[in-house]
Amino acid sequence: MFRYFGSKSSTASFVAGIALEGVQVRTAADAFGGLGNIGVEFRARGVEVSTCDLLGFPNAFQSSRIECSRTPSFNAVKSALGVSTSLELENVLSEATVQSGWFVREYSETRQFFTQSNARRIAGAWGAISRWHRMGWLSERERKYAVASLLNSADKCANTAGTYYAYLKNWHRKALKPFQFQWLPIEVAGNRGRAFQGDALTCLRDKQFDLLYLDPPYNNRDYSRYYHLPETLAGLKAVRIDPSSKCGQPLRKSVQGPFIRKAMGLPYLEELTASVRWSRLVVQYADGAHIALARLRPALKAFGSLTEHKIPALGYRTTSGARAHTHHVFIVDR
Ligand SMILES: C[S@@+](CC[C@H](N)C(=O)[O-])C[C@H]1O[C@@H](n2cnc3c(N)ncnc32)[C@H](O)[C@@H]1O
């Protein structure tokens, strides 16, 4: 699966289990959904899930994993291209290739994010999806599913240590593997939910859910800058790249930074928690992150009865650079 900073894929199943314990939960919202990992776990347990994220590319993953019950049909594309199965369409996207263009120039020739042959094929698949979009052949769900599948496939051969903030000096073993377009696996179990794109407070204010889950951004890393490349690709339009940017940020700066920084702070979380109607609140937070647990705990307690679980979570770095090994899961019942 796509490597995402702060991804809870390793703890999601356990956390979903304790989050749903002891109460009846029919609806849940994940305000900072990322790739939709916890949403998928809730969905598999029969919950109707709403997820939200500020950025377009996590929204593409969430739409695919939360809103779909099967591979979208792509009927208009299939009839335009004269193909009849999703497998054939997958092959079309795997084999599409371009010789040159902005993506190959910026992210292979100028900056070593992909080998040249992989960049040509990623750009080929991206160009095909962009054209289908321009021709009006894609439903919104199909567009997001094609985008999430492309990003997931490209990430497998990206010459990075995980984020797109830098590329590696030498070619990593996985970057040398040939790019292959593969459809993202679809979770078939459970009700279909909804994926919102936008600021969590704006999208979820006044809505009612049995459970509200929060896994907020917890340090100064601006997701829109660390993941500029998938975010640009998700837009399906060529953009101008800043020539002075080492990692190839778009010339036009993303406008989401201030919203991400706001969501890191306790006042924002308190306002969100007060504005959404819920019966149970679940907050996953790490030791040593932006909000001190000594401040978070009493703030949560003000909303109801609080229980706290600790879970080991490897691979997370605090703002001071030290390794943090513990995640706290706070459960508040009204
Ligand atoms: C810690 S990550 C969540 C990871 C997620 N639980 C997963 O397993 O993939 C935080 C997410 O919050 C999103 N985000 C940041 N500020 C936001 C805001 N104001 N409203 C909605 N989403 C926001 C970021 O884009 C990022 O995807």
Side-chain angles (χ1 to χ4, degrees), residues 4-9 31-37 52-55 58 198-200 215-218 223 259-260 263 268:
Y4 197 43
F5 186 70
S7 164
K8 297 300 179 298
S9 56
F32 307 101
L35 300 186
N37 290 311
C52 176
D53 206 283
L54 204 50
L55 300 182
D199 174 54
D215 174 23
Y218 38 54
Y223 282 82
F259 289 100
I260 301 175
Y268 180 99

Side-chain angles (χ1 to χ4, degrees), residues 1 7-21 25-30 33 35-51 61-62 65-66 186-191 211 213 284:
M1 188 57 158
S7 164
K8 297 300 179 298
S9 56
S10 61
T11 55
S13 171
F14 180 76
V15 172
I18 53 175
L20 300 180
E21 222 166 63
V25 175
R26 282 173 295 108
T27 57
D30 178 2
L35 300 186
N37 290 311
I38 197 89
V40 163
E41 293 292 337
F42 286 152
R43 183 181 175 185
R45 290 162 173 79
V47 177
E48 191 182 312
V49 179
S50 299
T51 56
F61 276 92
Q62 289 172 21
R65 303 180 77 195
I66 301 296
I186 290 282
E187 268 77 24
V188 284
N191 298 326
L211 187 148
Y213 171 82
Q284 187 161 359

Side-chain angles (χ1 to χ4, degrees), residues 126-148:
W126 179 84
I129 297 167
S130 304
R131 191 170 78 89
W132 301 348
H133 175 52
R134 280 197 309 278
M135 299 300 285
W137 296 343
L138 298 175
S139 69
E140 200 178 328
R141 218 168 267 170
E142 287 170 340
R143 170 175 59 80
K144 291 178 181 179
Y145 181 61
V147 162

Side-chain angles (χ1 to χ4, degrees), residues 163-331:
T163 78
Y164 288 83
Y165 212 61
Y167 55 87
L168 301 172
K169 281 208 188 80
N170 299 313
W171 290 111
H172 191 278
R173 184 173 25 89
K174 77 182 164 53
L176 299 173
K177 287 195 202 151
F179 167 79
Q180 204 188 350
F181 182 92
Q182 284 177 320
W183 294 122
L184 195 71
I186 290 282
E187 268 77 24
V188 284
N191 298 326
R192 281 166 31 177
R194 269 205 74 177
F196 296 95
Q197 188 188 344
D199 174 54
L201 201 47
T202 310
C203 293
L204 301 181
R205 189 188 288 280
D206 295 330
K207 292 196 167 59
Q208 179 160 8
F209 307 97
D210 295 334
L211 187 148
L212 173 64
Y213 171 82
L214 306 180
D215 174 23
Y218 38 54
N219 67 21
N220 279 323
R221 295 194 182 167
D222 177 341
Y223 282 82
S224 60
R225 293 185 70 71
Y226 274 81
Y227 294 94
H228 63 91
L229 199 152
E231 190 64 5
T232 294
L233 290 178
L236 296 181
K237 269 194 204 137
V239 299
R240 290 180 56 207
I241 304 302
D242 180 353
S244 68
S245 164
K246 273 197 177 146
C247 65
Q249 298 277 355
L251 205 51
R252 185 187 281 183
K253 278 224 164 87
S254 107
V255 292
Q256 282 114 342
F259 289 100
I260 301 175
R261 273 190 295 284
K262 239 180 154 185
M264 275 170 49
L266 187 54
Y268 180 99
L269 295 187
E270 287 180 305
E271 191 181 345
L272 181 62
T273 302
S275 322
V276 179
R277 290 180 286 150
W278 48 267
S279 309
R280 170 169 280 190
L281 171 72
V282 178
V283 181
Q284 187 161 359
Y285 211 71
D287 262 340
H290 184 69
I291 305 170
L293 294 181
R295 284 176 64 224
L296 183 59
R297 216 173 262 122
L300 295 178
K301 217 169 186 165
F303 287 97
S305 72
L306 179 74
T307 48
E308 186 172 339
H309 301 257
K310 283 188 195 171
I311 51 172
L314 297 171
Y316 164 74
R317 271 182 188 281
T318 66
T319 38
S320 63
R323 283 268 174 200
H325 295 292
T326 312
H327 267 208
H328 294 249
V329 179
F330 298 98
I331 299 188

